[in-house]
Amino acid sequence: MNALTARVALNTLALPAGATLGVTGGAGAFGGYVNPACGRRGSSCGRRRR
């Protein structure tokens, strides 16, 4: 479910290449899926631990 949520979120945001997305609590499962997905799309993902 976390992988599906990450994919839907990135599709909905439609970030342009070079954009940065901040993910609070990104060290968890969601961050583990969204970070590599951002990289494949040409964006970067800044993860922040709580």
Side-chain angles (χ1 to χ4, degrees):
M1 196 57 128
N2 288 311
L4 178 61
T5 303
R7 185 175 192 122
V8 169
L10 291 173
N11 288 342
T12 301
L13 290 171
L15 298 173
T20 302
L21 173 67
V23 178
T24 301
F30 179 77
Y33 289 110
V34 79
N35 191 33
C38 276
R40 285 192 297 272
R41 293 169 179 254
S43 302
S44 64
C45 181
R47 300 187 321 180
R48 182 177 149 218
R49 295 182 191 182
R50 294 187 216 186

